[in-house]
Amino acid sequence: MDIDFSELDPRQRYKLLASLIVPRPIALVTSRDADGLVNAAPFSFFNCFGVDPALVILSVGNRGADVPKDTAANIEATGVFVVNLVDEPMAGRMHASSADFPPGVNELEAVGFTAGPCAGTEVPRIVESPASFACRLHNVQHIGNNRVILGEVLAATVRAGLVDGQTWRVDGEALRM
């Protein structure tokens, strides 16, 4: 079966990409607006992008024609954000955080996540996350209806027992729990 992406609408392209490129990590991104209000939203178009400097890449679709979602607007306004990785016990609440909450609602509180300090930034991490990366905005590219965000990883907070500090190997089974 050959599929011409130029003949598909964005929703159809999303369904194919998100369903065929698996497994795919989820970035549950916390950010703050200029007034300090915390926002949390999951993004499946995310990955690591480099190590020197350490970079993550995140694609955030706009709400409409060049109208950014809160996460992108917050990152562009403040220059900082936190990528929280998602494990299986967090999956249900992560999915719930993708709802279109009205302005002023703290998604972390709404879905029952705990905000905690994150080394390297004033933006909170999600305590339940196995690993959280404090990031500084490196670059934003506006491509079509997407904002492709590169973030430089400044620091990480990792669940105890997940990383061997001698070999830097991650316990894959512990990462799932």
Side-chain angles (χ1 to χ4, degrees), residues 86-174:
V86 177
D87 62 7
E88 290 179 19
M90 295 174 62
R93 288 180 285 171
M94 176 274 302
H95 183 68
S97 73
S98 70
D100 192 14
F101 290 97
V105 172
N106 180 323
E107 292 87 354
L108 293 179
E109 293 173 359
V111 302
F113 281 130
T114 309
C118 187
T121 184
E122 294 298 316
V123 175
R125 69 181 175 90
I126 297 172
V127 171
E128 293 82 359
S129 175
S132 301
F133 300 105
C135 300
R136 173 177 52 222
L137 177 62
H138 182 275
N139 185 300
V140 177
Q141 293 290 316
H142 297 248
I143 303 172
N145 197 40
N146 304 293
R147 291 168 192 253
V148 178
I149 298 169
L150 281 177
E152 181 178 355
V153 178
L154 304 174
T157 300
V158 180
R159 181 182 294 150
L162 190 60
V163 176
D164 180 324
Q166 302 261 329
T167 64
W168 297 107
R169 293 200 194 291
V170 173
D171 180 343
E173 189 59 32

Side-chain angles (χ1 to χ4, degrees), residues 12-28:
Q12 292 168 320
R13 289 191 299 260
Y14 171 82
K15 286 181 127 181
L16 279 173
L17 289 170
S19 297
L20 291 172
I21 301 173
V22 292
R24 201 172 56 261
I26 304 293
L28 185 49

Side-chain angles (χ1 to χ4, degrees), residues 15-125:
K15 286 181 127 181
L16 279 173
L17 289 170
S19 297
L20 291 172
I21 301 173
V22 292
R24 201 172 56 261
I26 304 293
L28 185 49
V29 178
T30 47
S31 61
R32 280 190 172 159
D33 67 14
D35 296 324
L37 181 65
V38 174
N39 175 266
F43 296 94
S44 64
F45 291 143
F46 150 77
N47 219 313
C48 54
F49 202 64
V51 295
D52 192 16
L55 297 171
V56 294
I57 189 166
L58 173 70
S59 180
V60 181
N62 290 325
R63 287 191 187 281
D66 208 34
V67 177
K69 290 185 178 176
D70 293 341
T71 299
N74 292 348
I75 291 169
E76 289 185 63
T78 66
V80 291
F81 61 102
V82 176
V83 170
N84 301 277
L85 299 184
V86 177
D87 62 7
E88 290 179 19
M90 295 174 62
R93 288 180 285 171
M94 176 274 302
H95 183 68
S97 73
S98 70
D100 192 14
F101 290 97
V105 172
N106 180 323
E107 292 87 354
L108 293 179
E109 293 173 359
V111 302
F113 281 130
T114 309
C118 187
T121 184
E122 294 298 316
V123 175
R125 69 181 175 90

